[in-house]
Every structure is written in C-alpha cells, then in structure tokens.
Amino acid sequence: MRMKKTSEDFICETDDREVIKIEHATKKYGIGNLNTIAVNDVSLTIHKGEFVAIVGTSGSGKSTLMHMMCGTEKPTSGKVYICGEDIYSMKDTDLSVFRCKNIGMVYQFFNLIPVLNVEENIAFPQVVSGEKPDFAEVEALMKRLGLYNKGYSFPNQLSGGQQQRVAIGRAVISKPQLILADEPTGNLDSKNSEEVINLLTELCREFNNTLVIITHDEKIARKADRVLRIEDGKIISDTLQGGDAEK
C-alpha cells in the first residue's frame, strides 16, 4: 500500500550540495518551423547560499529560465533539479507543495492577494502547504520589514515599497532553500529599490538562502556573488564578482 506523503516529505535539507542544477534545458514555443527557442541547451549549477544575478536584454530568455527554476515552466527537453529533486517528474499536486516549502518568489508587480491583509499575505505559503500559521513569527518578521503597524492593512492601502516588503516576507516566511526574484525593483523608485534589495539580501544572508535575481539594474548585479549574462536563450558569461570568470 502506498503511504500518503506529508508536508514534511517535501522539505529539502541541503548542506554544500547544489540547490539548483539544470542539465541541457531547452524551451521551445510554437510548432514546426514557427517555433521560438526561449532557452537553448542551458546547463548550470548554483550552490547553497549563493547570490546570483541573471542579466540580459528583453526577450533574452532570462524570465523563462527563472520560471523553469521555480517549477512553472517545464522545459521542452532537459532536466531541472532543485535540492536534488527532479521537479518536473513530480505530480502537479506534489510540485505545488514542494514549491511552497522550498521556493520563495518575489515579483516585479508584487502579486499580493488583494482580499488578504498584510499578516495573511505573509502567512499564505504556510496555509497553502497545510501548516498552521505561526503569527508570532509573522509579527516578528513584519517588525524586521518595517511593517509592524500594518498587519491589518490591505495591499491597496500600502505604497509600492511596502507592498514589496510584504512580498519579501511572504517569500521567506517558510525558510525556503531558494529565493527567486524577478525584477523585484522594476516598479519602485531609486530610494525604495535600494532599501528593498538591501533588505532582501540581508535576510537571505541571515537565513543562508540561495538568492537568484533577474535584473536590468547593474547596481543590483554588482551586489551579487556571481553574474550570469544570457543572450538568445544561451548563457554567454558566468562571472564571479571581482572579475574572476568561471566560464
């Protein structure tokens, strides 16, 4: 008889092994001669605790690559492993739970749930994964985020910077191995952009999260440990900050 999996079965524990491993991943859209290759035979490894920036022009394939990492864009061919798990071999329901437990997402346009208040938005990943929300932990995190007096406010009552802080709280509340951020400052002014990135990187360093950010902002890229540049669906450079190229 097959045993039913519990939410704990989907928690990845990593030491020094790869948090992300992609093997010859390609993503095509369309059919026949009309197809477009968004990601073209990409292989890469990202280790625990790394802060990696992915940069490239619009249409270069960087967003598709990130969507592959977060479990929402199955490659046409190739493999994507998160914490050693071949995520696209999972059933959809298992993958959903796995993502809630192990992957936190921060989006350009916040993607908060408008009918939930700040406290509820931050706790949402715990609810989805079947946990009882720890509101004492949520309150402590809100204090770190400068949102302590905003717990009962709704997203439309917040500034853009405050909404992105809520999104960061939602991403880190479950202590996932991996944080993925897609242009997290693209909808913010320069002051809020700097504050949000500093807060996000500070929290990820503290919790030893692996952080991958897509950005057009070279100032943000310079904060990363490593910069991947993508063009026409291929990684054209993979550089350690300080000028030491890995490729």
Side-chain angles (χ1 to χ4, degrees), residues 136-246:
E137 186 176 17
V138 171
E139 287 185 9
L141 183 55
M142 286 193 300
K143 190 172 183 180
R144 287 285 306 276
L145 294 166
L147 297 168
Y148 190 69
N149 62 343
K150 298 291 184 180
Y152 296 106
S153 297
F154 290 88
N156 65 359
Q157 298 172 312
L158 303 176
S159 69
Q162 289 171 333
Q163 289 186 66
Q164 196 60 296
R165 288 167 182 263
V166 177
I168 291 170
R170 179 184 59 190
V172 304
I173 188 65
S174 295
K175 299 180 178 64
Q177 294 288 335
L178 175 62
I179 303 292
L180 301 174
D182 190 354
E183 296 285 3
T185 64
N187 210 30
L188 302 176
D189 60 34
S190 58
K191 181 177 182 294
N192 276 302
S193 293
E194 185 172 2
E195 289 178 355
V196 162
I197 286 299
N198 287 342
L199 185 59
L200 179 58
T201 54
E202 178 184 314
L203 287 169
C204 287
R205 297 290 189 201
E206 181 177 327
F207 298 133
N208 200 26
N209 302 119
T210 301
L211 174 61
V212 180
I213 292 181
I214 285 179
T215 183
H216 285 98
D217 190 335
E218 291 293 336
K219 289 182 181 179
I220 294 173
R222 285 196 292 270
K223 293 177 181 286
D225 303 320
R226 181 177 165 198
V227 178
L228 305 179
R229 293 188 182 274
I230 188 167
E231 185 177 302
D232 296 328
K234 285 183 171 289
I235 295 173
I236 60 170
S237 67
D238 183 348
T239 307
L240 293 173
Q241 293 293 357
D244 297 320
E246 287 192 290

Side-chain angles (χ1 to χ4, degrees), residues 51-120:
F51 172 14
V52 177
I54 302 177
V55 299
T57 59
S58 180
S60 61
K62 59 187 185 300
S63 290
T64 301
L65 181 60
M66 177 165 282
H67 293 156
M68 284 184 182
M69 295 177 187
C70 76
T72 59
E73 194 72 73
K74 185 176 181 179
T76 305
S77 61
K79 297 284 189 180
V80 178
Y81 298 92
I82 303 297
C83 305
E85 298 289 335
D86 179 358
I87 61 173
Y88 291 107
S89 69
M90 295 180 176
K91 293 181 178 179
D92 289 345
T93 52
D94 289 349
L95 178 54
S96 293
V97 176
F98 179 90
R99 290 176 64 220
C100 283
K101 290 288 186 181
N102 299 288
I103 304 172
M105 285 293 305
V106 181
Y107 300 93
Q108 178 177 351
F109 296 103
F110 320 132
N111 285 19
L112 302 179
I113 300 172
V115 297
L116 300 183
N117 63 32
V118 167
E119 192 175 66
E120 292 165 337

